[in-house]
Amino acid sequence: MPFGIKGLRVLVTASSRGIGRGVAEVLLEEGARVVINGRDPERLEKTREELSRLGEVYAVAADLTVREEVENLVNKAAELLGGLDALVYIPGPPRPGKFRDLGLEDWEYAARLLALSPVWATKAALPWLEKSKNPSIVFSTSIAVREPIPDLALSNVLRISIHGLVKTLARELGPLGIRVNAILPGYIMTDRVRQIAEKRAKEQGKTVEQVIEEMASEVPLRRIAEPREVGYLVAFLISPYASYITGASIPIDGGRLRSVF
């Protein structure tokens, strides 16, 4: 059954690879009109060319840690699409590491990426979303906000702020018909997961493949998800089928979270 998002105008940030690219792929296959984003113009254009076979896609380069670039990204996306129906905010991953291994500059950079940038993007998107007939926002965070993950101190601490933003916006924007939700990916086969696996493999004297198998064994479904699977959840959340869902934080983790709430 189609998601009913054909023609929807969507901006997907950090989408030149990883989860963002997987989301963009699914949305394009479902007929949405999409603007993708990344910091590296060459990689971004290569991704746009590859995705263009699926549908109408544009590319706007921007660094999500620079406010002026984020604001320009949103406005340029709206200009290219003739408006905006959905903002799908996916940040690039911050540096991995334990608290004592991270410098203050790492915390400042991650704060811009994970806490301030979503605010900048939302502020810029609101005037456009208010004109939409089916407006929504989806933020991508991590299951680390519910159960801290070793060696990911920055994510464990800073991503939590987004869930406060989701609840705040859901109440404030609900009367305007704008729905706001968050997704919490677990292990998804991205560069970040491979980076974690390589670090553990080096520390434990194992192969990367062995570590990935061990990571998959932590998941009840016994596998690591593909980025496209996150795309299906996002497609649902921005679709008419999710018309009464707002203020929700939905894990997509294969059952890995042990917490009840």
Side-chain angles (χ1 to χ4, degrees):
M1 179 176 68
F3 285 98
I5 61 172
K6 185 176 182 180
L8 219 61
R9 300 162 296 181
V10 188
L11 166 60
V12 184
T13 65
S15 44
S16 63
R17 57 182 176 177
I19 290 176
R21 174 172 176 149
V23 170
E25 285 181 1
V26 171
L27 300 187
L28 286 166
E29 288 173 353
E30 291 295 319
R33 302 167 60 214
V34 178
V35 169
I36 61 171
N37 155 255
R39 287 188 304 176
D40 184 335
E42 291 186 7
R43 172 181 288 165
L44 183 62
E45 178 56 24
K46 183 175 184 294
T47 301
R48 189 203 64 78
E49 290 178 357
E50 293 169 351
L51 294 178
S52 63
R53 61 184 174 80
L54 302 176
E56 185 179 349
V57 57
Y58 304 93
V60 179
D63 184 338
L64 296 180
T65 66
V66 180
R67 190 185 73 186
E68 292 78 12
E69 293 192 27
V70 172
E71 293 169 345
N72 178 69
L73 164 64
V74 174
N75 290 321
K76 183 65 175 178
E79 178 184 326
L80 289 167
L81 298 172
L84 199 62
D85 299 305
L87 167 64
V88 181
Y89 185 87
I90 302 170
R95 178 186 170 189
K98 294 181 172 62
F99 180 86
R100 290 186 297 174
D101 299 330
L102 298 165
L104 292 178
E105 65 279 4
D106 295 316
W107 285 94
E108 291 170 356
Y109 179 87
R112 291 196 301 274
L113 177 66
L114 302 179
L116 290 174
S117 184
V119 173
W120 301 333
T122 303
K123 280 281 191 181
L126 277 181
W128 300 103
L129 294 175
E130 288 176 7
K131 300 174 185 178
S132 169
K133 295 181 180 179
N134 184 27
S136 64
I137 302 172
V138 177
F139 295 105
S140 178
T141 65
S142 167
I143 60 170
V145 303
R146 292 191 181 172
E147 294 178 8
I149 299 173
D151 298 322
L152 294 183
L154 294 173
S155 284
N156 295 341
V157 174
L158 294 167
R159 289 187 192 272
I160 293 174
S161 65
I162 294 301
H163 296 273
L165 181 63
V166 166
K167 285 297 187 182
T168 298
L169 292 176
R171 295 191 68 83
E172 290 189 13
L173 303 182
L176 301 176
I178 301 174
R179 298 179 297 103
V180 185
N181 296 291
I183 59 173
L184 291 72
Y187 285 148
I188 313 296
M189 192 52 70
T190 62
D191 291 343
R192 164 46 61 85
V193 165
R194 293 187 182 90
Q195 187 179 25
I196 293 172
E198 289 169 359
K199 185 175 184 295
R200 291 185 186 177
K202 185 176 181 180
E203 293 173 346
Q204 300 171 12
K206 299 176 181 178
T207 66
V208 173
E209 291 71 23
Q210 287 175 320
V211 172
I212 289 177
E213 288 180 7
E214 291 174 356
M215 293 169 73
S217 71
E218 300 171 17
V219 181
L221 289 181
R222 294 297 187 267
R223 65 182 180 85
I224 294 176
E226 293 298 325
R228 287 179 54 85
E229 293 178 272
V230 181
Y232 299 133
L233 176 56
V234 171
F236 168 71
L237 287 174
I238 68 173
S239 79
Y241 298 118
S243 59
Y244 201 60
I245 300 176
T246 192
S249 295
I250 304 173
I252 176 165
D253 66 343
R256 183 166 173 242
L257 278 175
R258 293 180 173 84
S259 58
V260 177
F261 298 106

